[in-house]
């Protein structure tokens, strides 16, 4: 599948917001080195949608939706754990703190001096923020593994218990 045809490398914040630009496109997880380091499915897609607009006639904002599946190592059993991530964010790009006081609290404030921002950096940061720190299966995965191992041991060595009983009997006599 083609990736990254429709998204520019740089986001022209004020310019895009003034024109109310709507961007959508596909990336690969491997396009984001920081994400690739963490997940085990680098060839999967990241779907991106960004809608720009001006708030209070001066503050560039973007509403974004990122969708991707990530495969992480479960921190309990170390097996693969697949998570469907849907990241929704509302950013306001301000040049100084005062500017952010006029904004709703649902905006994440992004303090930025420049008029442009690398598309990659924005997407990469938002994905990183939403990856769980300690990913685990939502069931008792360790318990299942232990049960499997016990069953396996028993079937491999059906006389182990019998032997133990005999030895114990022999000791009594
Ligand atoms: Zn697990």
């Amino acid at each position: 599948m083609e990736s990254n045809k429709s998204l520019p490398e740089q986001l022209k914040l004020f310019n895009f917001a003034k024109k109310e630009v709507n961007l959508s496109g596909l990336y690969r997880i491997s396009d984001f080195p920081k994400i690739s380091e963490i997940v085990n499915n680098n060839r999967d897609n990241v779907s991106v949608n960004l809608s720009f607009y001006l708030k209070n006639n001066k503050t560039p904002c973007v509403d974004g939706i990122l969708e991707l599946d990530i495969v992480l190592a479960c921190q309990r059993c170390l097996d693969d754990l697949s998570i469907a991530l849907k990241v929704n964010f509302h950013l306001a790009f301000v040049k100084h703190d005062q500017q952010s006081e006029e904004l709703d609290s649902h905006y994440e404030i992004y303090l930025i001096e420049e008029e442009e921002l690398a598309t990659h950096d924005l997407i990469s940061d938002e994905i990183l923020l939403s990856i769980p720190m300690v990913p685990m299966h939502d069931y008792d995965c360790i318990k299942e593994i232990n049960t499997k191992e016990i069953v396996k041991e028993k079937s491999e060595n059906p006389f182990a218990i019998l032997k133990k009983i005999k030895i114990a009997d022999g000791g009594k006599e």
Side-chain angles (χ1 to χ4, degrees):
M1 196 176 287
E2 281 186 275
S3 72
N4 194 19
K5 277 282 182 229
S6 47
L7 284 151
E9 275 183 33
Q10 294 285 323
L11 303 170
K12 294 172 178 145
L13 302 174
F14 192 84
N15 187 303
F16 284 6
K18 203 175 161 192
K19 291 186 193 160
E20 303 201 331
V21 166
N22 198 315
L23 301 172
S24 57
L26 283 179
Y27 286 87
R28 289 272 175 102
I29 289 178
S30 54
D31 293 329
F32 307 98
K34 286 183 198 166
I35 313 296
S36 302
E37 276 176 24
I38 304 172
V39 307
N40 301 331
N41 57 323
N42 289 331
R43 297 174 70 183
D44 284 347
N45 288 323
V46 180
S47 121
V48 176
N49 188 285
L50 304 172
S51 306
F52 292 83
Y53 54 95
L54 268 188
K55 194 86 185 169
N56 304 331
N57 268 324
K58 61 179 177 187
T59 307
C61 295
V62 62
D63 290 344
I65 303 170
L66 310 175
E67 284 181 273
L68 66 154
D69 291 329
I70 53 170
V71 178
L72 302 167
C74 167
Q75 294 303 293
R76 193 160 44 200
C77 69
L78 300 179
D79 242 339
D80 281 353
L81 166 64
S82 184
I83 299 173
L85 275 189
K86 185 168 183 181
V87 188
N88 278 283
F89 56 91
H90 310 278
L91 301 179
F93 301 97
V94 303
K95 292 192 170 166
H96 47 79
D97 281 333
Q98 279 167 309
Q99 203 180 340
S100 63
E101 287 167 13
E102 301 161 17
L103 295 162
D104 295 308
S105 57
H106 85 284
Y107 286 104
E108 282 174 63
I109 305 300
Y110 215 106
L111 210 59
I112 183 165
E113 302 267 325
E114 294 84 27
E115 286 296 336
E116 293 193 7
L117 178 67
T119 314
H120 260 91
D121 292 349
L122 177 71
I123 296 169
S124 184
D125 285 354
E126 289 298 326
I127 295 174
L128 275 178
L129 285 172
S130 59
I131 293 180
M133 297 288 284
V134 187
M136 278 191 218
H137 288 113
D138 57 6
Y139 55 87
D140 197 349
C141 45
I142 279 287
K143 196 176 169 187
E144 252 181 38
I145 284 176
N146 287 344
T147 312
K148 271 183 210 159
E149 279 173 3
I150 289 166
V151 170
K152 207 175 151 198
E153 254 176 46
K154 277 188 183 170
S155 59
E156 273 175 0
N157 205 346
F159 300 111
I161 293 169
L162 258 175
K163 270 185 201 163
K164 275 181 198 161
I165 292 170
K166 279 195 170 173
I167 290 163
D169 282 350
K172 268 181 205 167
E173 281 169 29

